[in-house]
């Protein structure tokens, strides 16, 4: 699915447009929603949809639309981890949107607010842990933690942001896999698995073997210096 932000929407007539990062402007009709939204649609709300081409000129419209509004939608938002997340919300002639309202809009940031702004901290923790346990691809672990550290956690209402962060990282450590450990080691991101960063980590030999195609010269030198000095690991 594609994610975008509503650029404008006429609730009386039931149509408007969605602005996306990679697919341009897409026509949106109220009947395009899988389940009709409760209340009026508003500018800048984040919508997930499929794009349909409707004319020979390539004009497109949204289909199978869904507002991001429930914890179960967090996985949809996380499809943006390796994508461009900035959209250009533009002024539109004939609407009440002025040029002063134009802005670049981060879908990841505002999608997070849309999902968690009025919910308790525990809801956020449970959602993140469920996604980590059931859906996260190991190769995206660092991107996921960077999103948590730089975007999500600063937005969540909490009495102790550091404790919130450590609660998540301790869960990641308690449910550590070889692939996630490799990602943390590769990127020197031991804090994401609740390790102190004062010293390097001696990565197990079996993990080196499993990921040897992902290692560069710097990684091999690091392994030799800190861990293994045998000729079993040639520099190539």
């Amino acid at each position: 699915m594609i994610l975008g932000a509503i650029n404008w929407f006429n609730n009386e007539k039931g149509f408007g447009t969605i602005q996306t990062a990679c697919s341009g402007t897409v026509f949106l009709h109220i009947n395009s929603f899988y389940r009709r939204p409760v209340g009026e649609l508003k500018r800048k709300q984040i919508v997930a949809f499929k794009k349909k081409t409707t004319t020979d000129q390539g004009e497109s419209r949204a289909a199978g639309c869904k507002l991001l509004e429930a914890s179960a939608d967090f996985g949809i938002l996380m499809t943006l981890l390796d994508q461009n997340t900035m959209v250009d919300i533009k002024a539109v002639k004939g609407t009440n949107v002025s040029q002063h309202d134009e802005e670049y809009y981060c879908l990841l940031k505002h999608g997070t607010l849309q999902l968690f702004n009025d919910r308790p901290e525990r809801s956020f923790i449970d959602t993140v842990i469920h996604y980590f346990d059931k859906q996260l691809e190991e190769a995206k672990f660092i991107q996921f933690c960077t999103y948590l550290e730089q975007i999500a956690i600063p937005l969540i209402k909490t009495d102790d942001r550091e404790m919130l962060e450590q609660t998540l990282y301790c869960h990641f450590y308690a449910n550590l896999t070889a692939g996630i450990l490799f990602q943390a080691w590769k990127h020197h991101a031991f804090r994401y698995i609740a390790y102190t960063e004062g010293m390097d980590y001696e990565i197990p030999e079996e993990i080196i073997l499993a990921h040897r195609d992902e290692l560069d010269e710097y990684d091999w030198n690091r392994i030799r210096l800190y861990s293994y000095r045998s000729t079993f690991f040639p520099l190539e």
Side-chain angles (χ1 to χ4, degrees):
M1 298 188 78
I2 301 171
L3 284 97
I6 295 178
N7 199 30
W8 65 273
F9 195 86
N10 187 318
N11 284 279
E12 292 182 2
K13 296 181 179 180
F15 63 84
T17 62
I18 301 171
Q19 197 69 25
T20 70
C22 57
S23 299
T25 302
V26 180
F27 178 77
L28 172 66
H29 195 279
I30 192 63
N31 292 334
S32 300
F33 282 87
Y34 176 74
R35 185 177 72 241
R36 198 181 183 99
V38 177
E40 293 188 343
L41 292 177
K42 300 177 182 178
R43 176 174 162 85
K44 299 182 182 179
Q45 283 181 306
I46 309 298
V47 179
F49 64 96
K50 296 178 182 178
K51 189 175 72 169
K52 293 179 64 175
T53 301
T54 58
T55 69
D56 293 338
Q57 287 73 38
E59 295 176 351
S60 59
R61 63 182 296 156
C65 298
K66 178 179 178 56
L67 277 178
L68 297 191
E69 54 187 350
S71 296
D73 299 330
F74 184 69
I76 299 175
L77 183 65
M78 290 299 94
T79 61
L80 292 173
L81 283 178
D82 56 357
Q83 298 182 28
N84 179 13
T85 65
M86 302 300 295
V87 297
D88 186 6
I89 302 294
K90 301 177 180 178
V92 180
K93 292 182 179 180
T95 72
N96 59 357
V97 179
S98 72
Q99 290 184 350
H100 297 291
D101 292 323
E102 292 187 21
E103 61 179 296
Y104 282 98
Y105 194 69
C106 177
L107 295 175
L108 266 177
K109 175 182 177 180
H110 292 281
T112 302
L113 285 171
Q114 190 166 306
L115 287 176
F116 299 110
N117 195 37
D118 296 320
R119 293 183 180 164
E121 175 186 338
R122 189 70 240 179
S123 174
F124 172 74
I125 292 173
D126 291 344
T127 300
V128 169
I129 286 176
H130 182 270
Y131 179 78
F132 173 85
D133 290 344
K134 304 296 184 180
Q135 295 179 265
L136 179 64
E137 299 175 31
E138 292 179 340
K140 294 184 180 180
F141 175 70
I142 300 301
Q143 292 170 300
F144 179 57
C145 292
T146 300
Y147 153 77
L148 293 175
E149 184 178 66
Q150 297 182 3
I151 296 178
I153 291 175
L155 296 174
I156 300 302
K157 295 178 181 178
T158 177
D159 294 329
D160 192 337
R161 213 165 298 282
E162 184 175 340
M163 180 60 68
L164 168 59
E165 192 173 73
Q166 286 305 307
T167 297
L168 296 176
Y169 296 166
C170 285
H171 178 84
F172 300 164
Y173 171 71
N175 296 272
L176 200 60
T177 65
I180 288 175
L181 177 55
F182 174 77
Q183 293 297 325
W185 176 86
K186 171 81 173 173
H187 296 275
H188 292 271
F190 301 119
R191 66 186 182 280
Y192 295 151
I193 52 175
Y195 286 171
T196 61
E197 294 192 87
M199 295 183 65
D200 205 341
Y201 179 84
E202 184 171 1
I203 190 167
E205 183 176 329
E206 60 270 21
I207 297 180
I208 295 175
L209 292 174
H211 295 273
R212 62 185 305 150
D213 292 341
E214 301 173 53
L215 300 173
D216 56 25
E217 182 176 346
Y218 170 79
D219 296 326
W220 285 115
N221 286 332
R222 181 181 170 197
I223 290 167
R224 285 198 182 92
L225 178 66
Y226 187 79
S227 303
Y228 310 101
R229 292 180 171 82
S230 72
T231 56
F232 186 72
F233 300 108
L235 183 60
E236 59 181 12

